[in-house]
């Protein structure tokens, strides 16, 4: 029989789950599949989304929600919980924060193979741990990766302003439409400072965001990579160094010297930071596949992290580039360009302020100037905030 503490925990969690707003990923997840994994950086709203799905099911009495860090699992296993739930007629098992359970991959595989009529949904706050253990589940679980709020989602969630999703081509064709009394510039400035995370307007936002950073750097990555405390400190030093100059053109020798690590270790450190949602790495298009090209620039993952790490000294020009890269990577393969800031397919983009010119674009018919601090665009000039409507 299922422990009453688990049932009470689920009811408490569901009672405090907001229902009004669904993240962009909600309609992308193939909820009908037998096993679904939702991964992404800490704090982007994965837990809320799976609880919203559970609440939407017609047979909530057949669904069970639990977090893998619940004290229940100090004396019980995931396999045992699944066995008991199936005996009671359960059809859906949702396990949050599954990376906090040591044998999660092996046990989920066993649950999948043993209970063909039980649907399992799991989330992981650390991309690193999920990828490390996903080998056993590669033929069983559909994996979905989730990022933080787009500018469009921020407007709807916090300001009650609903705008549709626009494709890249629609943005470039100036098809973005909005009410005449809508003035996006002050809202956009608010978003880049503290609008990327769904907890942005909860009490103690700054503390929460610092906890996301600290837990990722001090716990998630060292646990995944088998690092000692001293090596974990070097990761924090590396992130602080990058935050002062990102977007950063990698100079491996200089970086190695500043944090005192070997040239062989540094690429791994950057990869760990990228997978955990602390940085992004812009590559060229020589690899032929996403993620295989040469690294041309290193970004702090999103503007909110930039302000958290850099404070008032954060460079506005760097924030603009980071915003464009952060928002467009979700639905597009974005690479570096030899003549402009970014390339997406055949399109070239140069990002700047309201007076940014077309000089670097030359005569390119597919080149666009992306300007901050303007409400409307024309011809090959596109407002920067429009790119926050892509998801």
């Amino acid at each position: 029989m299922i422990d009453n503490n688990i049932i009470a925990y689920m009811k408490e969690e569901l009672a405090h789950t907001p229902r009004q707003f669904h993240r962009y990923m909600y309609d992308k997840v193939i909820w009908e599949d037998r096993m679904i994994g939702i991964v992404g950086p800490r704090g982007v709203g994965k837990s809320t989304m799976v609880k919203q799905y559970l609440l939407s099911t017609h047979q909530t009495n057949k669904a069970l929600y639990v977090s893998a860090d619940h004290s229940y699992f100090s004396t019980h296993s995931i396999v045992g919980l699944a066995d008991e739930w199936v005996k009671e007629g359960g059809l859906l098992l949702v396990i949050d924060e599954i990376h906090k359970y040591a044998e999660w991959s092996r046990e989920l595989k066993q649950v999948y193979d043993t209970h063909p009529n039980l649907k399992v949904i799991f989330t992981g706050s650390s991309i690193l741990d999920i990828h490390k253990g996903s080998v056993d589940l590669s033929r069983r679980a559909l994996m979905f990766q989730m990022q933080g709020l787009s500018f469009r989602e921020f407007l709807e969630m916090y300001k009650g302003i609903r705008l549709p999703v626009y494709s890249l081509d629609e943005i470039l064709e100036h098809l973005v439409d909005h009410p005449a009394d809508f003035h996006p510039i002050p809202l956009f400035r608010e978003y880049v400072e503290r609008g990327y995370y769904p907890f942005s307007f909860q009490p103690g936002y700054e503390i929460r965001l610092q906890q996301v950073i600290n837990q990722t750097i001090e716990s998630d990555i060292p646990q995944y990579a088998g690092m000692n405390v001293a090596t974990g400190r070097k990761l924090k030093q590396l992130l602080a160094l990058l935050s002062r100059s990102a977007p950063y053109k990698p100079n491996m020798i200089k970086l190695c010297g500043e944090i005192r690590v070997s040239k062989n270790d540094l690429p791994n450190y950057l990869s760990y930071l990228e997978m955990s949602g602390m940085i992004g790495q812009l590559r060229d298009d020589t690899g032929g596949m996403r993620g295989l090209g040469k690294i041309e620039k290193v970004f702090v993952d999103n503007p909110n992290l930039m302000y958290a790490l850099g404070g008032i000294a954060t460079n506005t020009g760097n924030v603009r580039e980071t915003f464009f890269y952060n928002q467009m990577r979700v639905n597009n393969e974005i690479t570096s360009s030899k003549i402009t800031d970014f390339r997406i397919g055949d399109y070239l983009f140069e990002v700047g302020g309201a007076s940014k010119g077309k000089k670097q674009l030359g005569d390119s018919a597919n080149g666009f100037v992306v300007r901050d601090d303007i409400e409307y665009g024309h011809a090959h000039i596109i407002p920067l905030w429009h790119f926050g409507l892509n998801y």
Side-chain angles (χ1 to χ4, degrees), residues 68-77 101:
D69 62 354
H70 193 282
S71 59
Y72 171 87
F73 289 111
S74 63
T75 55
H76 297 78
S77 68
Y101 186 95

Side-chain angles (χ1 to χ4, degrees), residues 9-10 12 25 42 46 48 69 73 90 92 94 99 107 135 139 198 216 265 278-279 317 326 361:
Y9 172 80
M10 176 180 70
E12 183 73 15
M25 185 56 70
R42 285 180 176 268
K46 302 178 297 297
T48 297
D69 62 354
F73 289 111
L92 171 62
V94 180
H99 59 281
E107 293 203 23
V135 176
R139 292 178 291 104
T216 301
D265 288 335
M278 291 290 101
I279 67 170
N326 170 272
L361 296 175

Side-chain angles (χ1 to χ4, degrees), residues 23 25-26 31 37-53 65 94-99 121-127 130 144-148 198:
R23 291 296 319 279
M25 185 56 70
Y26 191 93
W31 295 107
I38 300 169
V39 300
R42 285 180 176 268
V44 297
K46 302 178 297 297
S47 300
T48 297
M49 188 175 72
V50 296
K51 286 184 281 188
Q52 287 174 333
Y53 172 73
Y65 169 87
V94 180
I95 309 172
D96 208 359
E97 305 268 27
I98 199 158
H99 59 281
I121 300 171
F122 62 91
T123 75
S125 294
S126 168
I127 299 175
I130 293 294
F144 297 89
Q145 186 169 325
M146 186 170 171
Q147 300 294 341

Side-chain angles (χ1 to χ4, degrees), residues 130-158:
I130 293 294
H131 282 305
K132 186 176 182 180
S134 64
V135 176
D136 288 340
L137 300 174
S138 59
R139 292 178 291 104
R140 295 168 175 82
L142 282 182
M143 304 296 292
F144 297 89
Q145 186 169 325
M146 186 170 171
Q147 300 294 341
L149 295 173
S150 66
F151 180 50
R152 183 194 68 83
E153 291 181 298
F154 164 80
L155 291 173
E156 182 175 347
M157 184 174 183
Y158 290 119

Side-chain angles (χ1 to χ4, degrees), residues 10-37:
M10 176 180 70
K11 290 183 176 180
E12 183 73 15
E13 287 290 313
L14 295 182
H16 292 91
T17 299
R19 305 190 189 200
Q20 297 83 2
F21 175 77
H22 287 170
R23 291 296 319 279
Y24 78 99
M25 185 56 70
Y26 191 93
D27 293 327
K28 294 179 180 291
V29 174
I30 305 173
W31 295 107
E32 60 269 23
D33 199 71
R34 275 187 61 198
M35 183 169 283
I36 298 163

Side-chain angles (χ1 to χ4, degrees), residues 292-312:
L292 295 182
K294 177 185 175 185
I295 296 170
E296 293 293 337
K297 284 184 180 179
V298 179
F299 292 83
V300 173
D301 182 78
N302 63 77
N304 289 190
L305 276 181
M306 294 183 72
Y307 281 104
L309 294 166
I312 60 174

Side-chain angles (χ1 to χ4, degrees), residues 1 21 55 58 62 66 80 107 128 152 157 191 213 229 242 294 296 300 309 337 375 388:
M1 186 172 180
F21 175 77
L55 286 167
H58 297 296
K62 302 292 185 180
V66 66
E107 293 203 23
L128 302 176
R152 183 194 68 83
M157 184 174 183
Y191 167 81
I213 297 170
V229 174
L242 292 172
K294 177 185 175 185
E296 293 293 337
V300 173
L309 294 166
S337 166
E375 287 193 8

